[in-house]
Amino acid sequence: MAKFFKNSLLRAQTRHQLLATLIVNIITFGHGLGVGWLSPTLTKIQTPDSPLGFEVNIDEISWMGSMLGLGSLCGNLVIAFLLERAGRKFCIYLLAVPYACLWILIYSASNIYFLYAARFLCGFTGGAAYVVLPIFISEVADSSIRGALTSMVMLSVDFGILAGFILSTYLSYHVVPFLGLIVPVAYFIASLMLPETAPYLLKRSQLGAAEKSFSYYKNEKGGSSKADFDELRTSILAQQANSPDGFSYKDLITKPALKGFASATVLCTGFQFSGVFSFINYMSDIFAKSGSVLDPNTCTIIIGIVQIVGVYTCTILVDIVGRRLLMLISSLGVGIGCIAFGCFTYFAQFHDLGHLNWLPLVLMIFILYLANVGLIGLFFLVIVEVYPAKIRSFGTSVSIIWMSILVFCTLKLFPLMLHFWGISWTMWFSATSSLLTFVYFLFFLPETKGKSMVED
């Protein structure tokens, strides 16, 4: 019972940390809304009576999907450049601008290039958010609840994806953008109340502002200790004394750094080639090709709910059982589920499996529930934690850039793989990637629960 209260998000000392996490995740909800909007919308704009006045073909669809990755890459690069120069708070404000523009482009689309640009900006917002928000949250959160707070990034994304699935299924094309524009306005106004993080201010020698920030996020009335701030200050000063000019190339080739780069690279590659993010973007098409007689958009909405349950499970368990166990369960489960999905669709070509037409939905529920318990839900937390403190911002940025390149490639190739390979071989490819990731995690992924964010 004592451990439960120690890890409770509602303790007086951590309430402002929870509030800050909820505020900054308004934009990740918005990013999820933009991602989820695509899948049901594709079924509308591929028909002669498209609400856009023009029909979209398979090649244009693959480019629409992949522009998310290209935008994410650009967002990574911009925020990686600004993160240590302008600060976390400025970068958080900045996210509202491209996100607002994407809905304006979607509403006013008169040709396919408007949609390309909108998807690019959706990716830009997500790519930028995925660099700054995990670092921001890790710097303001107590180590006892850092896992739960950081996993809320993907919980918010999943809520947004579900909202995107529902809104674009049941509302007309031109109504959704008006609702989408509410998000950046609310986000920008709410984020004005948040102070810069204490570690960043200490690095900039702004001692007074850092102490105020520390007191705010620790909610001083709830029992914040000045000794904790002095400990943080000492750690930051020691870090700067050891490397007054930042880090050098030698810091990038230490054993802990190389292990961090290896784990992050495998995680990014396994996450994308396991197919789970592609499944989310092309969910309606997958169900349409799977042989299921259930309505593809209804199945997509059910999957959206399952994703939320998966990440919520992750949020509850991450600071109890640790990161490594959840990652192992997730990668193994996704691999097994994809093998089963591929086998069903393969044998359905030669045998009458009509009495099992519910199975594709059940298998996809299994796949994406377990994906959200680990690979999706813990992705950003583990990416931040596997790096040594000295190179954490740089390493995280490099990893997210690599992931964005993979997002571009996989979202471009996935619809083409479905078209030319068929759904069975596409699923088996995803399964192979996920199982190889499981093997790496089993032997090499370290447990990072409770790891200090200012000391190596």
Side-chain angles (χ1 to χ4, degrees):
M1 184 65 70
K3 185 175 182 180
F4 172 80
F5 284 111
K6 181 183 177 183
N7 293 342
S8 173
L9 299 178
L10 299 178
R11 286 182 299 142
Q13 187 177 353
T14 59
R15 285 174 190 165
H16 286 177
Q17 298 169 25
L18 175 61
L19 176 63
T21 302
L22 293 174
I23 288 173
V24 297
N25 277 313
I26 294 173
I27 201 67
T28 56
F29 171 86
H31 174 64
L33 182 65
V35 171
W37 165 87
L38 178 67
S39 182
T41 301
L42 287 179
T43 61
K44 299 178 182 179
I45 63 178
Q46 292 181 80
T47 60
D49 58 345
S50 166
L52 297 173
F54 58 89
E55 194 173 341
V56 179
N57 60 43
I58 185 67
D59 185 56
E60 290 170 333
I61 286 172
S62 71
W63 278 111
M64 276 184 66
S66 62
M67 289 303 288
L68 187 81
L70 191 60
S72 180
L73 175 61
C74 293
N76 301 154
L77 294 171
V78 170
I79 293 301
F81 177 79
L82 293 175
L83 192 61
E84 297 298 334
R85 293 170 174 83
R88 286 69 165 132
K89 189 175 178 180
F90 176 83
C91 293
I92 286 170
Y93 292 158
L94 187 65
L95 301 179
V97 178
Y99 186 75
C101 292
L102 86 87
W103 290 114
I104 296 171
L105 287 168
I106 287 174
Y107 180 83
S108 57
S110 58
N111 58 58
I112 191 63
Y113 297 103
F114 279 72
L115 298 182
Y116 289 166
R119 286 285 289 176
F120 176 89
L121 291 177
C122 183
F124 184 98
T125 305
Y130 294 153
V131 172
V132 64
L133 295 192
I135 291 176
F136 172 83
I137 294 169
S138 69
E139 289 184 346
V140 303
D142 285 1
S143 61
S144 62
I145 62 167
R146 187 174 65 234
L149 291 184
T150 307
S151 64
M152 284 185 184
V153 172
M154 290 313 302
L155 183 63
S156 301
V157 172
D158 283 346
F159 268 110
I161 289 172
L162 176 61
F165 287 161
I166 294 172
L167 293 179
S168 57
T169 297
Y170 295 109
L171 298 181
S172 68
Y173 175 91
H174 289 96
V175 171
V176 179
F178 281 104
L179 299 177
L181 281 169
I182 297 172
V183 175
V185 175
Y187 165 76
F188 184 81
I189 293 173
S191 62
L192 290 173
M193 66 178 288
L194 300 178
E196 182 59 89
T197 69
Y200 177 81
L201 291 169
L202 284 171
K203 291 175 185 177
R204 291 291 177 271
S205 301
Q206 299 179 32
L207 182 60
E211 191 165 5
K212 288 180 181 178
S213 170
F214 188 85
S215 296
Y216 173 80
Y217 288 117
K218 292 290 185 180
N219 192 8
E220 198 166 39
K221 293 180 181 178
S224 174
S225 171
K226 192 173 187 306
D228 293 334
F229 176 75
D230 291 337
E231 183 180 345
L232 173 66
R233 180 188 175 194
T234 301
S235 298
I236 296 292
L237 290 175
Q239 202 179 102
Q240 290 179 320
N242 292 333
S243 186
D245 299 320
F247 65 86
S248 68
Y249 78 93
K250 292 182 180 179
D251 296 315
L252 301 176
I253 57 175
T254 62
K255 189 174 182 179
L258 292 176
K259 283 185 176 179
F261 278 114
S263 294
T265 300
V266 171
L267 176 55
C268 292
T269 306
F271 177 27
Q272 289 306 315
F273 282 113
S274 69
V276 291
F277 189 64
S278 298
F279 298 165
I280 294 166
N281 279 267
Y282 300 111
M283 188 64 67
S284 295
D285 281 355
I286 291 171
F287 281 119
K289 294 177 185 296
S290 69
S292 173
V293 296
L294 301 173
D295 176 60
N297 288 336
T298 301
C299 292
T300 299
I301 292 170
I302 293 171
I303 293 299
I305 297 171
V306 169
Q307 289 190 102
I308 292 171
V309 176
V311 176
Y312 183 69
T313 304
C314 168
T315 302
I316 294 172
L317 296 178
V318 62
D319 288 316
I320 299 173
V321 304
R323 288 68 161 140
R324 187 173 182 274
L325 178 61
L326 293 179
M327 280 292 193
L328 288 170
I329 293 171
S330 179
S331 53
L332 179 62
V334 169
I336 293 171
C338 287
I339 290 173
F341 199 106
C343 289
F344 172 84
T345 55
Y346 180 79
F347 287 114
Q349 300 175 70
F350 309 106
H351 305 281
D352 181 14
L353 301 180
H355 60 293
L356 297 175
N357 55 45
W358 48 267
L359 193 55
L361 175 60
V362 172
L363 289 173
M364 192 55 73
I365 286 173
F366 176 81
I367 291 167
L368 282 174
Y369 173 78
L370 288 179
N372 279 275
V373 166
L375 284 173
I376 295 176
L378 294 180
F379 177 81
F380 296 105
L381 174 63
V382 174
I383 286 291
V384 170
E385 290 185 341
V386 293
Y387 286 111
K390 191 180 292 186
I391 66 164
R392 183 164 291 125
S393 293
F394 176 81
T396 301
S397 299
V398 169
S399 297
I400 302 299
I401 288 169
W402 171 237
M403 188 194 71
S404 296
I405 294 171
L406 293 173
V407 168
F408 174 79
C409 295
T410 54
L411 292 184
K412 173 64 178 168
L413 292 174
F414 191 81
L416 302 178
M417 290 168 67
L418 283 177
H419 183 74
F420 293 108
W421 288 11
I423 191 169
S424 300
W425 284 101
T426 302
M427 285 294 178
W428 290 334
F429 174 83
S430 297
T432 302
S433 301
S434 188
L435 292 176
L436 289 174
T437 304
F438 166 79
V439 172
Y440 179 90
F441 287 169
L442 182 63
F443 291 105
F444 301 111
L445 184 69
E447 177 57 71
T448 56
K449 185 177 76 167
K451 182 177 180 180
S452 171
M453 289 291 99
V454 295
E455 296 177 338
D456 294 335

